Amino acid sequence: MSSVLSSASWRSVIPDEWQAEVRSKLEPNENATAWVLVDLNAALKFHKIALILTDRRILTAHCREKNWQSWSLAEGQRLRLTDHAGVGQLELADAQGRLAVWRFTLGLQDAVFRWVAQFEAQQSHRAQTPGRVPADLQGRPLQASHVTVCPVCQASLSEDDDECPVCSREDLNPPSTWTLLKLWRFARPYKRSLLIGFLLTLASTAATLVPPYLTMPLMDEVLIPYQNGADIDPGLVSLYMLGLLASGLLAWGLGWAKTYILALVSERIGSDLRTTTYEHLLKLSLEYFGGRRTGDLIARIGSETDRINVFLSLHLLDFATDVLMILMTAVILFYINPTLALVTLLPLPFIGWLIHVVRERLRTGFEKIDRVWAEVTNVLTDTIPGIRVVKAFAQEDREAQRFKDANAHNLLVNDRLNRVWSLFSPTVTLMTEIGLLVVWGFGIWLVSDDQITVGVLTAFLAYIGRFYSRLDAMSRIVSNTQKAAAGAKRIFDILDHVSSVPEPLHPVALPAQVQGHITLRDVGFRYGNRAVIRQLNLDIQPGQMIGLVGHSGSGKSTLVNLICRFYDLSEGAIELDGTDIRQLKVADYRRQIGLVLQEPFLFFGTIADNIAYGKPDATREEIVAAARAAHAHEFILRMPQGYDSLVGERGQGLSGGERQRVSIARALLINPRILILDEATSAVDTETEKEIQKALDNLVRGRTTIAIAHRLSTLRKADRLVVMDKGVVVEEGTHDALMAVQGAYWRLYEAQQRQAEAVAVLGGSDEDKKVSA
């Protein structure tokens, strides 16, 4: 190969303006295979940096300075992709530690994933064939491939992609069988039962090996002498037959006991795994859920734990039995006749090599199947909860096609894996048949040479049948092991994830009576390279009502999320009664906050259960009192079963105003010291708004309240208005004071008034006026 790429290869991999520069940096016979341009520097400022992957190195250069750096590729190096608050991070590391880090905005994630996929392909091939670059990686035009679209996330896919690089971004490293060892933390509480199960397995396996051994004296001492004219000894035959029956009954009893005990243990391990995973998932921050699909998480906790459970209860037990059977059979064979035993084991190295080769194919294949199946589940979890929108816009055919595409993708990935598996299993069977044929031929020769008896050959063949059947079964267990390993990896991807809102190491206890004094000191927060909140200072006295106003995108909702500690600050501090909220236990702090959202979420269940969600042990009297204060008692009594009436999923059985009043009752019941109102009356009609406003008046009384409202007229009762713009506070004061200075608040208020008047002149409805406001 020449020292530079061919012109066709350069056009497909490296942009024209970089070709001469890159060509000058390549070593003789070095070839560039992938290119990507990331857009952030170490300080998270926009700065173009080129990443060039060759068959030997990673080359980087800043687009302006052209200061080149390089890292030679070696076995053991890996790339790790993470993202946080809109910024992706690509990290190159080896066994000694981190070598380099590059950052990028998530708009470039598709291109970065493809670049990483090329790196992984080269590293995988390097591990198998050191020093040689595979032919299909030598200047392969990645961007020139035919492009299709992922049916779930609509990301671009090349014709060579088994799966979507966006949907699978967590799982760049293939699953390892060693991942299953992590399950020991869940098995440790049941180690005594596991030990008993293992001993029973050992005993039952030994019992199943007795009958073939008894065939030797039956043949040599009973049947063959009888063919030669001797009489059959009934007592001897009865003894051998009794031995066969006893061993069979013993094997049955031990087998039942071991299967029952180990099945009980595996069910408990699976139950603990599901519970622990779900509990850990609930403790993760909102940032984690923002980057995951609901269907994928459901599939992990549901189907993946079921698969692991089946593996532990059935396949692992079968595997242990097979291993014991093979080892104990081999010992018996060598004890009977070492020469014939060696001939018996001739196919074993080839079968072992075949299992190793296929295992390498299966280890990634099953994980791809899991992720693609999660795509199918994602379509369902998108469509079914949103069925009203689907029908309203007559998109049934579109959603059906999206499901069909995801299902076809699932079929394609399964077909690719089945091509490998369908060849492997018959090949192992063929090798065992050939091994059995070799034993027959060599055994007959030994019998004719008077080196062994017919009874020995018969026993050998009986053992060989069991040996090869177990070997065949053990080879099939490779499939189930890799499935379980893929599932375990996806489960531990959740369990190993650390929340970005951590619990304090030494939490400060809240006082019995929280005052509700909130202080924000130099608060800053970034979504990636974009500063959303900057150097914000605010002091909210106990019992005060603060109104947050500003244009969309000014940072109001982000500020509320920070106060609720759904996210952690980038800089500064938020204090509750003088204590940094990061020093408080998250659950203790959030119990002091009542949240009323623009779109209240109700769970499937009774109205009473939804009101008492924050206080499950509330009495019926407390629930009714909260509902009365929220002006919800009257409409609840009009329902068929009153407080015990069922509401549909997400409160579909109630109107928007009724759902809002139930959510206000829910907040009232927990009696929070801090209240967050996020557009609580923006999505209802005028009459309903009056009812909700009465409920809110009861709710805010005596509580520190932070209210967000685009309709400024709803904030007249606020003690103070805080006007935000581009993440900073630009004005602060009462409504009258801010109107007097005719600044940012005055412009917002006047703009809303003019818009409302325009709607009135055009004859708009009350609802139109509300929307315009």
Side-chain angles (χ1 to χ4, degrees), residues 61-74:
H62 289 257
C63 290
R64 288 199 298 268
E65 295 87 350
K66 296 291 178 66
N67 49 341
W68 288 82
Q69 291 181 284
S70 69
W71 293 265
S72 298
L73 298 180

Side-chain angles (χ1 to χ4, degrees), residues 150-203:
C150 172
V152 175
C153 68
Q154 308 301 310
S156 299
L157 302 175
S158 75
E159 61 185 3
D160 298 321
D161 282 331
D162 285 347
E163 55 188 332
C164 172
V166 177
C167 296
S168 63
R169 63 180 177 269
E170 266 191 3
D171 306 287
L172 294 174
N173 297 319
S176 169
T177 309
W178 298 109
T179 306
L180 293 172
L181 294 179
K182 288 185 175 182
L183 295 173
W184 174 246
R185 62 185 268 200
F186 297 97
R188 188 182 292 113
Y190 310 103
K191 56 186 178 183
R192 178 177 296 180
S193 297
L194 288 171
L195 178 60
I196 294 172
F198 174 76
L199 294 176
L200 288 172
T201 301
L202 187 64

Side-chain angles (χ1 to χ4, degrees), residues 328-338 341 344 459-460 463-464 467:
M328 296 170 74
T329 302
V331 171
I332 293 173
L333 291 179
F334 275 98
Y335 174 75
I336 296 174
N337 190 295
T344 301
F460 237 95
Y463 280 120
I464 286 301
F467 180 86

Side-chain angles (χ1 to χ4, degrees), residues 527 530-534 549-559 708 710 724-728:
Y527 277 124
R530 184 167 63 95
V532 183
I533 303 292
R534 294 175 294 176
V549 299
H551 294 290
S552 295
S554 60
K556 304 185 299 296
S557 294
T558 301
L559 182 60
I708 298 176
H710 289 293
M724 296 186 64
D725 185 37
K726 297 179 181 179
V728 298

Side-chain angles (χ1 to χ4, degrees), residues 83-86 169 280-293 297 497-502 525 527 557-558 560-568 586 590 595 597 678:
D83 61 83
H84 174 74
R169 63 180 177 269
H280 183 75
L281 192 66
L282 291 177
K283 294 176 182 177
L284 295 178
S285 67
L286 289 183
E287 177 200 347
Y288 180 85
F289 294 94
R292 273 78 183 176
R293 302 295 297 270
L297 295 176
H497 191 91
V498 179
S499 175
S500 59
V501 180
F525 181 73
Y527 277 124
S557 294
T558 301
V560 165
N561 286 334
L562 293 174
I563 292 174
C564 293
R565 211 186 167 204
F566 292 149
Y567 301 94
D568 263 349
V586 175
R590 288 183 184 154
L595 191 61
L597 302 172
D678 190 353

